[in-house]
Amino acid sequence: MGVDIKLAFDILAFTSVMVLIVLGLGVIASMMGIFNFAHGEFVLLGAYTVFLFESNGLSAWAGILAAPIVLALVGLVLERLVIRRFYAAPIIAMLGTYAVGLIIRETVRGLLGGHYKSVNEPLPGAFTLFGIDFSIWRAVIVVTTIVVIAGTWAFLARTSIGLQIRGSLENPMLSRASGISTSRLYAMTFAFGSALAGLAGALIVPLYQLSADIGTRFLVQAFLSVMLGGVGTFEGPVLGAALVGTTAAGLPWLVSPVLADPLVFVLALLIVKFRPQGFITQGRL
């Protein structure tokens, strides 16, 4: 029983990471109509930021706080210089972000010398609950994800800027006619999605060794999560991430790890076959 609860907790922690990554990707896809294929590399940059802070004798906490800020700035610059020129051609925008992601990945690979690096958990150890030991850092990830989801929902549903974002999502032309600067909102949205990727990378790097490919493993799963949940909603990507994250983390305990990843894709493709618009297609905030 104790082993089952601990396993469920570990799956929940992995799923929480997926939700953070997918939330950022989903917000960008829903708002701007493009998939940011550099999103995995933004996760990498968030993780690398924490590594730089720690390797230079600074607090890992400072790196974790800095990572979303750094990635928000990176996302803002990328949107202003590249993405905004291709809103009318989303395929070209996706190819552009893929190229940017490739440059980031190989640059970091060179900086790391092709080696794996480790980052210590800022809160190491475990706490005991009902006689079962749980990782403190995994608990931090779960709590942080809950806070981010609640804060994002409240921002979109309860603030004037959130109202403008939802209006631009529903009808960009009418929003522009009403005097709303959709260009500014797009820049803010891309920066916000990038910041979430940076935060996710900062949180997971103590659990996974840092390498140039740390974000790649999450990108395809994040893409599937958005497609499963439904583009254009807040709840959809979160639901998709919960399903994909739980399946990806739980299947290796039921079947061979070699079969687990392909099986995740097969199950996702079957769902998309029968629900091509995703689980949630209405009920936007």
Side-chain angles (χ1 to χ4, degrees), residues 9-10 12-17 47 50 117-125 135-142 200-210 214 217-218:
F9 178 75
D10 290 344
L12 177 61
F14 178 83
T15 302
S16 298
V17 171
V50 178
K117 305 292 183 178
S118 60
V119 173
N120 296 320
E121 295 182 2
L123 288 176
S135 166
I136 295 177
W137 188 244
R138 291 179 189 271
V140 169
I141 292 175
V142 173
L203 291 174
I204 66 173
V205 70
L207 301 179
Y208 303 91
Q209 284 191 309
L210 174 62
I214 191 173
R217 61 173 298 179
F218 295 103

PDB file of all heavy atoms in Angstrom, residues 9-10 12-17 47 50 117-125 135-142 200-210 214 217-218:
ATOM      1  N   PHE A   9       2.479   9.382  -5.931  1.00  0.00           N
ATOM      2  CA  PHE A   9       3.038  10.709  -5.667  1.00  0.00           C
ATOM      3  C   PHE A   9       4.110  11.057  -6.695  1.00  0.00           C
ATOM      4  O   PHE A   9       4.160  12.189  -7.194  1.00  0.00           O
ATOM      5  CB  PHE A   9       3.619  10.753  -4.258  1.00  0.00           C
ATOM      6  CG  PHE A   9       4.253  12.068  -3.902  1.00  0.00           C
ATOM      7  CD1 PHE A   9       3.473  13.173  -3.609  1.00  0.00           C
ATOM      8  CD2 PHE A   9       5.643  12.198  -3.867  1.00  0.00           C
ATOM      9  CE1 PHE A   9       4.060  14.388  -3.290  1.00  0.00           C
ATOM     10  CE2 PHE A   9       6.233  13.403  -3.548  1.00  0.00           C
ATOM     11  CZ  PHE A   9       5.443  14.503  -3.257  1.00  0.00           C
ATOM     12  N   ASP A  10       4.982  10.107  -7.031  1.00  0.00           N
ATOM     13  CA  ASP A  10       6.020  10.346  -8.039  1.00  0.00           C
ATOM     14  C   ASP A  10       5.393  10.623  -9.404  1.00  0.00           C
ATOM     15  O   ASP A  10       5.869  11.492 -10.157  1.00  0.00           O
ATOM     16  CB  ASP A  10       6.959   9.144  -8.125  1.00  0.00           C
ATOM     17  CG  ASP A  10       7.836   8.993  -6.891  1.00  0.00           C
ATOM     18  OD1 ASP A  10       7.940   9.973  -6.128  1.00  0.00           O
ATOM     19  OD2 ASP A  10       8.388   7.898  -6.674  1.00  0.00           O
ATOM     20  N   LEU A  12       2.452  11.924  -9.845  1.00  0.00           N
ATOM     21  CA  LEU A  12       1.863  13.251  -9.729  1.00  0.00           C
ATOM     22  C   LEU A  12       2.911  14.340  -9.935  1.00  0.00           C
ATOM     23  O   LEU A  12       2.642  15.352 -10.588  1.00  0.00           O
ATOM     24  CB  LEU A  12       1.211  13.403  -8.353  1.00  0.00           C
ATOM     25  CG  LEU A  12       0.598  14.776  -8.024  1.00  0.00           C
ATOM     26  CD1 LEU A  12      -0.514  15.113  -9.008  1.00  0.00           C
ATOM     27  CD2 LEU A  12       0.082  14.801  -6.590  1.00  0.00           C
ATOM     28  N   ALA A  13       4.112  14.135  -9.407  1.00  0.00           N
ATOM     29  CA  ALA A  13       5.183  15.123  -9.569  1.00  0.00           C
ATOM     30  C   ALA A  13       5.577  15.247 -11.039  1.00  0.00           C
ATOM     31  O   ALA A  13       5.757  16.366 -11.552  1.00  0.00           O
ATOM     32  CB  ALA A  13       6.396  14.726  -8.725  1.00  0.00           C
ATOM     33  N   PHE A  14       5.709  14.115 -11.742  1.00  0.00           N
ATOM     34  CA  PHE A  14       6.039  14.154 -13.166  1.00  0.00           C
ATOM     35  C   PHE A  14       4.922  14.833 -13.952  1.00  0.00           C
ATOM     36  O   PHE A  14       5.173  15.643 -14.849  1.00  0.00           O
ATOM     37  CB  PHE A  14       6.274  12.736 -13.694  1.00  0.00           C
ATOM     38  CG  PHE A  14       6.579  12.693 -15.171  1.00  0.00           C
ATOM     39  CD1 PHE A  14       7.868  12.921 -15.636  1.00  0.00           C
ATOM     40  CD2 PHE A  14       5.580  12.434 -16.102  1.00  0.00           C
ATOM     41  CE1 PHE A  14       8.162  12.886 -16.986  1.00  0.00           C
ATOM     42  CE2 PHE A  14       5.857  12.390 -17.453  1.00  0.00           C
ATOM     43  CZ  PHE A  14       7.153  12.619 -17.898  1.00  0.00           C
ATOM     44  N   THR A  15       3.684  14.498 -13.614  1.00  0.00           N
ATOM     45  CA  THR A  15       2.546  15.098 -14.293  1.00  0.00           C
ATOM     46  C   THR A  15       2.507  16.606 -14.066  1.00  0.00           C
ATOM     47  O   THR A  15       2.155  17.372 -14.973  1.00  0.00           O
ATOM     48  CB  THR A  15       1.230  14.458 -13.802  1.00  0.00           C
ATOM     49  OG1 THR A  15       1.277  13.056 -14.040  1.00  0.00           O
ATOM     50  CG2 THR A  15       0.033  15.048 -14.527  1.00  0.00           C
ATOM     51  N   SER A  16       2.892  17.052 -12.885  1.00  0.00           N
ATOM     52  CA  SER A  16       2.927  18.478 -12.580  1.00  0.00           C
ATOM     53  C   SER A  16       3.909  19.206 -13.492  1.00  0.00           C
ATOM     54  O   SER A  16       3.628  20.311 -13.978  1.00  0.00           O
ATOM     55  CB  SER A  16       3.309  18.700 -11.109  1.00  0.00           C
ATOM     56  OG  SER A  16       2.350  18.132 -10.245  1.00  0.00           O
ATOM     57  N   VAL A  17       5.066  18.594 -13.723  1.00  0.00           N
ATOM     58  CA  VAL A  17       6.046  19.174 -14.646  1.00  0.00           C
ATOM     59  C   VAL A  17       5.441  19.289 -16.041  1.00  0.00           C
ATOM     60  O   VAL A  17       5.565  20.323 -16.711  1.00  0.00           O
ATOM     61  CB  VAL A  17       7.326  18.325 -14.680  1.00  0.00           C
ATOM     62  CG1 VAL A  17       8.251  18.790 -15.802  1.00  0.00           C
ATOM     63  CG2 VAL A  17       8.048  18.378 -13.348  1.00  0.00           C
ATOM     64  N   ALA A  47      16.655  25.228 -17.077  1.00  0.00           N
ATOM     65  CA  ALA A  47      17.511  24.327 -16.299  1.00  0.00           C
ATOM     66  C   ALA A  47      18.955  24.820 -16.297  1.00  0.00           C
ATOM     67  O   ALA A  47      19.636  24.788 -15.254  1.00  0.00           O
ATOM     68  CB  ALA A  47      17.435  22.916 -16.886  1.00  0.00           C
ATOM     69  N   VAL A  50      19.691  27.671 -13.779  1.00  0.00           N
ATOM     70  CA  VAL A  50      19.919  27.214 -12.403  1.00  0.00           C
ATOM     71  C   VAL A  50      21.327  26.651 -12.265  1.00  0.00           C
ATOM     72  O   VAL A  50      22.027  26.914 -11.274  1.00  0.00           O
ATOM     73  CB  VAL A  50      18.881  26.156 -11.994  1.00  0.00           C
ATOM     74  CG1 VAL A  50      19.141  25.644 -10.583  1.00  0.00           C
ATOM     75  CG2 VAL A  50      17.472  26.729 -12.085  1.00  0.00           C
ATOM     76  N   LYS A 117      25.506  17.242 -16.425  1.00  0.00           N
ATOM     77  CA  LYS A 117      25.804  17.983 -15.209  1.00  0.00           C
ATOM     78  C   LYS A 117      24.672  17.755 -14.204  1.00  0.00           C
ATOM     79  O   LYS A 117      23.523  17.517 -14.571  1.00  0.00           O
ATOM     80  CB  LYS A 117      25.933  19.477 -15.499  1.00  0.00           C
ATOM     81  CG  LYS A 117      26.955  19.828 -16.570  1.00  0.00           C
ATOM     82  CD  LYS A 117      28.377  19.550 -16.097  1.00  0.00           C
ATOM     83  CE  LYS A 117      29.391  19.990 -17.160  1.00  0.00           C
ATOM     84  NZ  LYS A 117      30.784  19.778 -16.722  1.00  0.00           N
ATOM     85  N   SER A 118      25.013  17.835 -12.938  1.00  0.00           N
ATOM     86  CA  SER A 118      24.008  17.639 -11.903  1.00  0.00           C
ATOM     87  C   SER A 118      23.819  18.917 -11.095  1.00  0.00           C
ATOM     88  O   SER A 118      24.748  19.703 -10.932  1.00  0.00           O
ATOM     89  CB  SER A 118      24.416  16.491 -10.963  1.00  0.00           C
ATOM     90  OG  SER A 118      25.647  16.782 -10.337  1.00  0.00           O
ATOM     91  N   VAL A 119      22.611  19.106 -10.615  1.00  0.00           N
ATOM     92  CA  VAL A 119      22.258  20.246  -9.768  1.00  0.00           C
ATOM     93  C   VAL A 119      21.632  19.695  -8.498  1.00  0.00           C
ATOM     94  O   VAL A 119      20.751  18.831  -8.554  1.00  0.00           O
ATOM     95  CB  VAL A 119      21.281  21.193 -10.485  1.00  0.00           C
ATOM     96  CG1 VAL A 119      20.785  22.286  -9.532  1.00  0.00           C
ATOM     97  CG2 VAL A 119      21.938  21.819 -11.715  1.00  0.00           C
ATOM     98  N   ASN A 120      22.086  20.174  -7.353  1.00  0.00           N
ATOM     99  CA  ASN A 120      21.567  19.687  -6.085  1.00  0.00           C
ATOM    100  C   ASN A 120      20.147  20.203  -5.834  1.00  0.00           C
ATOM    101  O   ASN A 120      19.793  21.316  -6.232  1.00  0.00           O
ATOM    102  CB  ASN A 120      22.472  20.137  -4.930  1.00  0.00           C
ATOM    103  CG  ASN A 120      23.860  19.544  -5.024  1.00  0.00           C
ATOM    104  OD1 ASN A 120      24.024  18.378  -5.378  1.00  0.00           O
ATOM    105  ND2 ASN A 120      24.872  20.353  -4.726  1.00  0.00           N
ATOM    106  N   GLU A 121      19.349  19.389  -5.186  1.00  0.00           N
ATOM    107  CA  GLU A 121      18.013  19.820  -4.812  1.00  0.00           C
ATOM    108  C   GLU A 121      18.106  20.926  -3.763  1.00  0.00           C
ATOM    109  O   GLU A 121      18.775  20.763  -2.752  1.00  0.00           O
ATOM    110  CB  GLU A 121      17.206  18.647  -4.241  1.00  0.00           C
ATOM    111  CG  GLU A 121      16.919  17.547  -5.249  1.00  0.00           C
ATOM    112  CD  GLU A 121      16.079  16.425  -4.641  1.00  0.00           C
ATOM    113  OE1 GLU A 121      15.699  16.551  -3.453  1.00  0.00           O
ATOM    114  OE2 GLU A 121      15.801  15.446  -5.349  1.00  0.00           O
ATOM    115  N   PRO A 122      17.439  22.051  -3.976  1.00  0.00           N
ATOM    116  CA  PRO A 122      17.474  23.128  -2.975  1.00  0.00           C
ATOM    117  C   PRO A 122      16.905  22.696  -1.626  1.00  0.00           C
ATOM    118  O   PRO A 122      17.327  23.196  -0.587  1.00  0.00           O
ATOM    119  CB  PRO A 122      16.610  24.226  -3.617  1.00  0.00           C
ATOM    120  CG  PRO A 122      16.680  23.942  -5.086  1.00  0.00           C
ATOM    121  CD  PRO A 122      16.744  22.452  -5.199  1.00  0.00           C
ATOM    122  N   LEU A 123      15.936  21.790  -1.665  1.00  0.00           N
ATOM    123  CA  LEU A 123      15.376  21.227  -0.433  1.00  0.00           C
ATOM    124  C   LEU A 123      15.517  19.706  -0.507  1.00  0.00           C
ATOM    125  O   LEU A 123      14.599  19.005  -0.934  1.00  0.00           O
ATOM    126  CB  LEU A 123      13.899  21.620  -0.276  1.00  0.00           C
ATOM    127  CG  LEU A 123      13.611  23.077   0.072  1.00  0.00           C
ATOM    128  CD1 LEU A 123      12.107  23.330   0.098  1.00  0.00           C
ATOM    129  CD2 LEU A 123      14.235  23.452   1.410  1.00  0.00           C
ATOM    130  N   PRO A 124      16.668  19.180  -0.121  1.00  0.00           N
ATOM    131  CA  PRO A 124      16.880  17.732  -0.213  1.00  0.00           C
ATOM    132  C   PRO A 124      16.136  16.985   0.888  1.00  0.00           C
ATOM    133  O   PRO A 124      15.603  17.573   1.824  1.00  0.00           O
ATOM    134  CB  PRO A 124      18.394  17.595  -0.038  1.00  0.00           C
ATOM    135  CG  PRO A 124      18.764  18.759   0.824  1.00  0.00           C
ATOM    136  CD  PRO A 124      17.851  19.885   0.419  1.00  0.00           C
ATOM    137  N   GLY A 125      16.136  15.678   0.745  1.00  0.00           N
ATOM    138  CA  GLY A 125      15.561  14.849   1.798  1.00  0.00           C
ATOM    139  C   GLY A 125      14.096  14.540   1.573  1.00  0.00           C
ATOM    140  O   GLY A 125      13.540  14.781   0.494  1.00  0.00           O
ATOM    141  N   SER A 135       9.475  12.696  -1.203  1.00  0.00           N
ATOM    142  CA  SER A 135      10.507  13.659  -1.560  1.00  0.00           C
ATOM    143  C   SER A 135       9.998  15.085  -1.334  1.00  0.00           C
ATOM    144  O   SER A 135       8.935  15.466  -1.831  1.00  0.00           O
ATOM    145  CB  SER A 135      10.913  13.484  -3.028  1.00  0.00           C
ATOM    146  OG  SER A 135      11.655  14.593  -3.485  1.00  0.00           O
ATOM    147  N   ILE A 136      10.780  15.873  -0.606  1.00  0.00           N
ATOM    148  CA  ILE A 136      10.393  17.257  -0.352  1.00  0.00           C
ATOM    149  C   ILE A 136      10.374  18.054  -1.650  1.00  0.00           C
ATOM    150  O   ILE A 136       9.454  18.842  -1.898  1.00  0.00           O
ATOM    151  CB  ILE A 136      11.363  17.909   0.654  1.00  0.00           C
ATOM    152  CG1 ILE A 136      11.257  17.218   2.017  1.00  0.00           C
ATOM    153  CG2 ILE A 136      11.089  19.404   0.789  1.00  0.00           C
ATOM    154  CD1 ILE A 136      12.244  17.747   3.045  1.00  0.00           C
ATOM    155  N   TRP A 137      11.385  17.837  -2.502  1.00  0.00           N
ATOM    156  CA  TRP A 137      11.461  18.632  -3.733  1.00  0.00           C
ATOM    157  C   TRP A 137      10.321  18.299  -4.687  1.00  0.00           C
ATOM    158  O   TRP A 137       9.778  19.198  -5.343  1.00  0.00           O
ATOM    159  CB  TRP A 137      12.812  18.432  -4.418  1.00  0.00           C
ATOM    160  CG  TRP A 137      12.980  19.379  -5.574  1.00  0.00           C
ATOM    161  CD1 TRP A 137      13.096  19.087  -6.888  1.00  0.00           C
ATOM    162  CD2 TRP A 137      13.003  20.806  -5.479  1.00  0.00           C
ATOM    163  NE1 TRP A 137      13.196  20.224  -7.641  1.00  0.00           N
ATOM    164  CE2 TRP A 137      13.149  21.294  -6.803  1.00  0.00           C
ATOM    165  CE3 TRP A 137      12.928  21.710  -4.421  1.00  0.00           C
ATOM    166  CZ2 TRP A 137      13.208  22.659  -7.084  1.00  0.00           C
ATOM    167  CZ3 TRP A 137      12.987  23.065  -4.696  1.00  0.00           C
ATOM    168  CH2 TRP A 137      13.125  23.528  -6.018  1.00  0.00           C
ATOM    169  N   ARG A 138       9.938  17.046  -4.769  1.00  0.00           N
ATOM    170  CA  ARG A 138       8.798  16.692  -5.618  1.00  0.00           C
ATOM    171  C   ARG A 138       7.517  17.343  -5.086  1.00  0.00           C
ATOM    172  O   ARG A 138       6.657  17.770  -5.863  1.00  0.00           O
ATOM    173  CB  ARG A 138       8.641  15.179  -5.692  1.00  0.00           C
ATOM    174  CG  ARG A 138       9.765  14.487  -6.463  1.00  0.00           C
ATOM    175  CD  ARG A 138       9.590  12.969  -6.488  1.00  0.00           C
ATOM    176  NE  ARG A 138      10.751  12.308  -7.040  1.00  0.00           N
ATOM    177  CZ  ARG A 138      10.924  12.043  -8.338  1.00  0.00           C
ATOM    178  NH1 ARG A 138       9.989  12.373  -9.195  1.00  0.00           N
ATOM    179  NH2 ARG A 138      12.020  11.433  -8.763  1.00  0.00           N
ATOM    180  N   ALA A 139       7.409  17.432  -3.779  1.00  0.00           N
ATOM    181  CA  ALA A 139       6.248  18.107  -3.187  1.00  0.00           C
ATOM    182  C   ALA A 139       6.250  19.590  -3.550  1.00  0.00           C
ATOM    183  O   ALA A 139       5.188  20.176  -3.817  1.00  0.00           O
ATOM    184  CB  ALA A 139       6.254  17.932  -1.670  1.00  0.00           C
ATOM    185  N   VAL A 140       7.436  20.210  -3.567  1.00  0.00           N
ATOM    186  CA  VAL A 140       7.545  21.611  -3.983  1.00  0.00           C
ATOM    187  C   VAL A 140       7.060  21.785  -5.414  1.00  0.00           C
ATOM    188  O   VAL A 140       6.345  22.750  -5.742  1.00  0.00           O
ATOM    189  CB  VAL A 140       9.007  22.097  -3.842  1.00  0.00           C
ATOM    190  CG1 VAL A 140       9.191  23.457  -4.514  1.00  0.00           C
ATOM    191  CG2 VAL A 140       9.402  22.182  -2.380  1.00  0.00           C
ATOM    192  N   ILE A 141       7.425  20.852  -6.297  1.00  0.00           N
ATOM    193  CA  ILE A 141       6.999  20.922  -7.693  1.00  0.00           C
ATOM    194  C   ILE A 141       5.476  20.845  -7.798  1.00  0.00           C
ATOM    195  O   ILE A 141       4.844  21.615  -8.542  1.00  0.00           O
ATOM    196  CB  ILE A 141       7.657  19.786  -8.508  1.00  0.00           C
ATOM    197  CG1 ILE A 141       9.162  20.012  -8.613  1.00  0.00           C
ATOM    198  CG2 ILE A 141       7.028  19.685  -9.899  1.00  0.00           C
ATOM    199  CD1 ILE A 141       9.910  18.884  -9.298  1.00  0.00           C
ATOM    200  N   VAL A 142       4.873  19.924  -7.051  1.00  0.00           N
ATOM    201  CA  VAL A 142       3.415  19.762  -7.093  1.00  0.00           C
ATOM    202  C   VAL A 142       2.726  21.030  -6.606  1.00  0.00           C
ATOM    203  O   VAL A 142       1.793  21.540  -7.246  1.00  0.00           O
ATOM    204  CB  VAL A 142       2.984  18.548  -6.244  1.00  0.00           C
ATOM    205  CG1 VAL A 142       1.458  18.494  -6.142  1.00  0.00           C
ATOM    206  CG2 VAL A 142       3.519  17.248  -6.845  1.00  0.00           C
ATOM    207  N   ALA A 200       9.574  25.476 -15.451  1.00  0.00           N
ATOM    208  CA  ALA A 200       9.540  24.011 -15.470  1.00  0.00           C
ATOM    209  C   ALA A 200      10.958  23.446 -15.527  1.00  0.00           C
ATOM    210  O   ALA A 200      11.298  22.508 -14.797  1.00  0.00           O
ATOM    211  CB  ALA A 200       8.719  23.512 -16.656  1.00  0.00           C
ATOM    212  N   GLY A 201      11.801  24.011 -16.390  1.00  0.00           N
ATOM    213  CA  GLY A 201      13.180  23.544 -16.482  1.00  0.00           C
ATOM    214  C   GLY A 201      13.943  23.738 -15.186  1.00  0.00           C
ATOM    215  O   GLY A 201      14.723  22.872 -14.776  1.00  0.00           O
ATOM    216  N   ALA A 202      13.705  24.874 -14.519  1.00  0.00           N
ATOM    217  CA  ALA A 202      14.387  25.141 -13.253  1.00  0.00           C
ATOM    218  C   ALA A 202      13.964  24.161 -12.168  1.00  0.00           C
ATOM    219  O   ALA A 202      14.782  23.775 -11.319  1.00  0.00           O
ATOM    220  CB  ALA A 202      14.091  26.576 -12.810  1.00  0.00           C
ATOM    221  N   LEU A 203      12.714  23.743 -12.195  1.00  0.00           N
ATOM    222  CA  LEU A 203      12.217  22.836 -11.160  1.00  0.00           C
ATOM    223  C   LEU A 203      12.658  21.392 -11.378  1.00  0.00           C
ATOM    224  O   LEU A 203      12.865  20.645 -10.419  1.00  0.00           O
ATOM    225  CB  LEU A 203      10.682  22.899 -11.109  1.00  0.00           C
ATOM    226  CG  LEU A 203      10.072  24.208 -10.580  1.00  0.00           C
ATOM    227  CD1 LEU A 203       8.555  24.181 -10.728  1.00  0.00           C
ATOM    228  CD2 LEU A 203      10.463  24.458  -9.130  1.00  0.00           C
ATOM    229  N   ILE A 204      12.812  20.988 -12.650  1.00  0.00           N
ATOM    230  CA  ILE A 204      13.101  19.579 -12.916  1.00  0.00           C
ATOM    231  C   ILE A 204      14.593  19.266 -12.930  1.00  0.00           C
ATOM    232  O   ILE A 204      14.971  18.099 -12.790  1.00  0.00           O
ATOM    233  CB  ILE A 204      12.486  19.104 -14.256  1.00  0.00           C
ATOM    234  CG1 ILE A 204      13.147  19.824 -15.429  1.00  0.00           C
ATOM    235  CG2 ILE A 204      10.986  19.278 -14.245  1.00  0.00           C
ATOM    236  CD1 ILE A 204      12.713  19.288 -16.779  1.00  0.00           C
ATOM    237  N   VAL A 205      15.455  20.287 -13.098  1.00  0.00           N
ATOM    238  CA  VAL A 205      16.875  19.978 -13.261  1.00  0.00           C
ATOM    239  C   VAL A 205      17.479  19.296 -12.032  1.00  0.00           C
ATOM    240  O   VAL A 205      18.406  18.480 -12.185  1.00  0.00           O
ATOM    241  CB  VAL A 205      17.667  21.252 -13.654  1.00  0.00           C
ATOM    242  CG1 VAL A 205      17.751  22.240 -12.503  1.00  0.00           C
ATOM    243  CG2 VAL A 205      19.059  20.888 -14.146  1.00  0.00           C
ATOM    244  N   PRO A 206      16.991  19.524 -10.796  1.00  0.00           N
ATOM    245  CA  PRO A 206      17.548  18.734  -9.694  1.00  0.00           C
ATOM    246  C   PRO A 206      17.161  17.256  -9.752  1.00  0.00           C
ATOM    247  O   PRO A 206      17.812  16.415  -9.121  1.00  0.00           O
ATOM    248  CB  PRO A 206      16.941  19.404  -8.445  1.00  0.00           C
ATOM    249  CG  PRO A 206      16.585  20.776  -8.876  1.00  0.00           C
ATOM    250  CD  PRO A 206      16.127  20.610 -10.288  1.00  0.00           C
ATOM    251  N   LEU A 207      16.095  16.931 -10.506  1.00  0.00           N
ATOM    252  CA  LEU A 207      15.640  15.543 -10.594  1.00  0.00           C
ATOM    253  C   LEU A 207      16.281  14.805 -11.761  1.00  0.00           C
ATOM    254  O   LEU A 207      16.466  13.594 -11.707  1.00  0.00           O
ATOM    255  CB  LEU A 207      14.112  15.489 -10.739  1.00  0.00           C
ATOM    256  CG  LEU A 207      13.296  16.133  -9.612  1.00  0.00           C
ATOM    257  CD1 LEU A 207      11.820  16.007  -9.923  1.00  0.00           C
ATOM    258  CD2 LEU A 207      13.624  15.495  -8.272  1.00  0.00           C
ATOM    259  N   TYR A 208      16.570  15.522 -12.834  1.00  0.00           N
ATOM    260  CA  TYR A 208      17.181  14.926 -14.020  1.00  0.00           C
ATOM    261  C   TYR A 208      18.542  15.565 -14.243  1.00  0.00           C
ATOM    262  O   TYR A 208      18.706  16.768 -14.064  1.00  0.00           O
ATOM    263  CB  TYR A 208      16.320  15.161 -15.267  1.00  0.00           C
ATOM    264  CG  TYR A 208      14.912  14.646 -15.147  1.00  0.00           C
ATOM    265  CD1 TYR A 208      13.893  15.461 -14.677  1.00  0.00           C
ATOM    266  CD2 TYR A 208      14.592  13.348 -15.522  1.00  0.00           C
ATOM    267  CE1 TYR A 208      12.591  15.005 -14.568  1.00  0.00           C
ATOM    268  CE2 TYR A 208      13.294  12.870 -15.421  1.00  0.00           C
ATOM    269  CZ  TYR A 208      12.294  13.704 -14.947  1.00  0.00           C
ATOM    270  OH  TYR A 208      11.012  13.252 -14.839  1.00  0.00           O
ATOM    271  N   GLN A 209      19.506  14.808 -14.641  1.00  0.00           N
ATOM    272  CA  GLN A 209      20.811  15.388 -14.955  1.00  0.00           C
ATOM    273  C   GLN A 209      20.671  16.336 -16.135  1.00  0.00           C
ATOM    274  O   GLN A 209      19.950  16.071 -17.094  1.00  0.00           O
ATOM    275  CB  GLN A 209      21.822  14.295 -15.273  1.00  0.00           C
ATOM    276  CG  GLN A 209      22.346  13.558 -14.047  1.00  0.00           C
ATOM    277  CD  GLN A 209      23.530  12.671 -14.377  1.00  0.00           C
ATOM    278  OE1 GLN A 209      23.480  11.870 -15.304  1.00  0.00           O
ATOM    279  NE2 GLN A 209      24.602  12.808 -13.612  1.00  0.00           N
ATOM    280  N   LEU A 210      21.380  17.452 -16.046  1.00  0.00           N
ATOM    281  CA  LEU A 210      21.315  18.459 -17.092  1.00  0.00           C
ATOM    282  C   LEU A 210      22.099  18.003 -18.317  1.00  0.00           C
ATOM    283  O   LEU A 210      23.267  17.675 -18.237  1.00  0.00           O
ATOM    284  CB  LEU A 210      21.882  19.785 -16.588  1.00  0.00           C
ATOM    285  CG  LEU A 210      22.018  20.905 -17.625  1.00  0.00           C
ATOM    286  CD1 LEU A 210      20.657  21.283 -18.190  1.00  0.00           C
ATOM    287  CD2 LEU A 210      22.703  22.124 -17.001  1.00  0.00           C
ATOM    288  N   ILE A 214      17.601  17.724 -22.427  1.00  0.00           N
ATOM    289  CA  ILE A 214      16.669  17.568 -21.312  1.00  0.00           C
ATOM    290  C   ILE A 214      15.253  18.017 -21.684  1.00  0.00           C
ATOM    291  O   ILE A 214      14.264  17.480 -21.182  1.00  0.00           O
ATOM    292  CB  ILE A 214      17.179  18.347 -20.076  1.00  0.00           C
ATOM    293  CG1 ILE A 214      16.350  17.970 -18.840  1.00  0.00           C
ATOM    294  CG2 ILE A 214      17.146  19.847 -20.324  1.00  0.00           C
ATOM    295  CD1 ILE A 214      16.890  18.570 -17.545  1.00  0.00           C
ATOM    296  N   ARG A 217      12.727  15.485 -24.512  1.00  0.00           N
ATOM    297  CA  ARG A 217      11.864  14.386 -24.088  1.00  0.00           C
ATOM    298  C   ARG A 217      10.457  14.868 -23.748  1.00  0.00           C
ATOM    299  O   ARG A 217       9.497  14.110 -23.800  1.00  0.00           O
ATOM    300  CB  ARG A 217      12.464  13.674 -22.878  1.00  0.00           C
ATOM    301  CG  ARG A 217      12.631  14.536 -21.657  1.00  0.00           C
ATOM    302  CD  ARG A 217      13.059  13.724 -20.449  1.00  0.00           C
ATOM    303  NE  ARG A 217      12.068  12.722 -20.090  1.00  0.00           N
ATOM    304  CZ  ARG A 217      12.203  11.870 -19.100  1.00  0.00           C
ATOM    305  NH1 ARG A 217      13.311  11.891 -18.384  1.00  0.00           N
ATOM    306  NH2 ARG A 217      11.261  11.016 -18.815  1.00  0.00           N
ATOM    307  N   PHE A 218      10.360  16.164 -23.381  1.00  0.00           N
ATOM    308  CA  PHE A 218       9.053  16.700 -22.987  1.00  0.00           C
ATOM    309  C   PHE A 218       8.296  17.337 -24.146  1.00  0.00           C
ATOM    310  O   PHE A 218       7.070  17.471 -24.078  1.00  0.00           O
ATOM    311  CB  PHE A 218       9.217  17.747 -21.883  1.00  0.00           C
ATOM    312  CG  PHE A 218       9.750  17.194 -20.593  1.00  0.00           C
ATOM    313  CD1 PHE A 218      11.074  17.386 -20.239  1.00  0.00           C
ATOM    314  CD2 PHE A 218       8.937  16.476 -19.737  1.00  0.00           C
ATOM    315  CE1 PHE A 218      11.575  16.882 -19.052  1.00  0.00           C
ATOM    316  CE2 PHE A 218       9.427  15.965 -18.543  1.00  0.00           C
ATOM    317  CZ  PHE A 218      10.754  16.175 -18.200  1.00  0.00           C
TER     318      PHE A 218
END
